[in-house]
Structures are given as C-alpha cells and as structure tokens.
Amino acid sequence: MGKENAIFIGVDEGILFLQKRKIVPAAAFGDFDSITDEDITALKDEQMAMFTFEQEKDMTDLELALQWAFEQDPDRIELYGATGGRLDHELINMQLLKQGLDRGIETVIIDRTNEVMMKNPGHYSLEHDERYPYISFIPFSAEVKGITLEGFKYPLDQAELVWGSTLCISNELVTKKGTYSFEDGIIMVVRSKD
C-alpha cells in the first residue's frame, strides 16, 4: 500500500496530533485519559469509528489499536509517537513489533531520529539512507546465530550475537546497498541519526 492509500488511526492523545494536521483518522482508540472532555465531544462529531476503553484494562491503547490494524490486512504498519515518553511504554511498544512479525506484516516504529523494525531469520538488503546513517542490530531473542553483514564499515561473517552484547551497535554502510542475514533468532534493526 502506498502512502496515498494510507489509513490513519489515532491512539489517545495522538488523535489531537492528527487533527492539528487536518488528518481525519479512520478510527480512534483509547481511554482518552490524556485529552479533555471538550476534545472528546469534538471527536464524536468527526466521521470516524471511536473505540473507547476503560483506563483499567489488560492491553494498552496502542495494542488495542494494533489488533484492529492487523485485522485490516495491511502490507505495512508505521507507528508514530511510540517513543520518547515513559520508558515502560517505550520498551513494550518495541516488543509489540513482534506481533506484526508473527503475522507477516512489516511493523515499524518511527520517530524523529530512528526507525525500528524486527526481523526473523533470512537474507535482507538495506539501501543507504542519509536520514539514518547508523544501523544497529540488537538481539530480541537470547541469541542470534550466523549473522553476516556485507557492505558495512564493520562486516561480520557467521557471528553470534547475544543479549547484552554491543557488537552490532552503530554500524554504517560503506556501499550504496548492503546486506545482512542470520540463521536463527529474532533481531531488531534500528536505523538512527544523531
């Protein structure tokens, strides 16, 4: 799905962020504890589906919105506003990427300085992107086996990456296109800028 076919979803206060940009989302999710009653009344006047939940529940607002998004069978889901606040939410939002991975739906967290995605074993290519010159590979599973990096400043050949290792932090492409592959485990790919 191209950007022109994008479907926007607002989660809690994120709905106000979209409204300020004149974007009417297809749906809004949340307990809406961070917006005013006046804002909620205005939201109800919009042409969107509103899913309101109690503050005390077994899932975060973002996870509830993701469940709905997965049901729409998209090619890709981009999450904005999922970092930079409370650390507990930021960490669990990173873990939510696994739900997209399990469904075969590319799910990416994007903020001002990073793009984060999660990958299963395989062979992948990356093109140089001036917006994100640094590329890190962080194990999500306890270990990642057989990681090979080609076209990188710090190449690897069949290495092992374990939890707590900084071996694959802040690498850079030295060619226009590089490849990475691994045989076992789950990895988070983080593209960053300073």
Side-chain angles (χ1 to χ4, degrees):
M1 173 170 26
K3 296 268 188 200
E4 66 280 354
N5 296 324
I7 297 171
F8 290 89
I9 301 171
V11 178
D12 207 47
E13 193 175 357
I15 192 77
L16 300 179
F17 180 88
L18 293 174
Q19 276 191 319
K20 287 177 187 172
R21 284 151 185 80
K22 308 274 191 258
I23 297 170
V24 178
F29 290 81
D31 52 35
F32 302 108
D33 62 341
S34 54
I35 63 176
T36 67
D37 289 340
E38 192 176 282
D39 290 328
I40 291 171
T41 301
L43 289 175
K44 289 180 179 175
D45 293 338
E46 299 283 351
Q47 295 288 323
M48 74 178 101
M50 279 195 70
F51 300 91
T52 306
F53 303 94
E54 296 296 323
Q55 276 187 299
E56 294 180 11
K57 53 192 177 296
D58 293 334
M59 292 186 208
T60 63
D61 296 333
L62 179 57
E63 186 175 9
L64 290 163
L66 264 178
Q67 298 302 313
W68 183 86
F70 292 141
E71 290 171 7
Q72 309 314 303
D73 196 29
D75 296 325
R76 177 178 166 103
I77 295 174
E78 296 179 355
L79 304 174
Y80 297 88
T83 61
R86 284 178 45 182
L87 187 57
D88 56 345
H89 282 264
E90 186 168 343
L91 290 170
I92 198 61
N93 290 346
M94 298 282 181
Q95 290 185 22
L96 286 174
L97 295 173
K98 175 85 166 53
Q99 292 189 20
L101 186 69
D102 291 344
R103 290 169 173 80
I105 298 171
E106 184 176 77
T107 307
V108 184
I109 291 175
I110 301 172
D111 65 22
R112 286 187 174 102
T113 56
N114 306 283
E115 277 191 0
V116 183
M117 64 184 67
M118 200 173 283
K119 295 290 187 181
N120 279 319
H123 189 273
Y124 304 95
S125 63
L126 283 174
E127 292 192 21
H128 176 74
D129 186 339
E130 288 184 19
R131 297 173 302 163
Y132 304 109
Y134 304 109
I135 304 166
S136 296
F137 301 94
I138 301 170
F140 184 74
S141 53
E143 58 185 6
V144 173
K145 295 182 180 175
I147 186 164
T148 299
L149 306 178
E150 296 177 348
F152 285 84
K153 185 175 183 178
Y154 307 109
L156 287 175
D157 184 26
Q158 293 292 308
E160 186 172 317
L161 186 59
V162 297
W163 265 59
S165 169
T166 59
L167 176 65
C168 291
I169 299 297
S170 293
N171 210 333
E172 299 174 58
L173 286 171
V174 292
T175 57
K176 287 189 184 282
K177 191 175 189 178
T179 62
Y180 66 97
S181 61
F182 60 104
E183 298 167 357
D184 189 49
I186 299 172
I187 208 164
M188 285 199 306
V189 181
V190 183
R191 302 193 73 164
S192 303
K193 67 179 176 182
D194 283 327

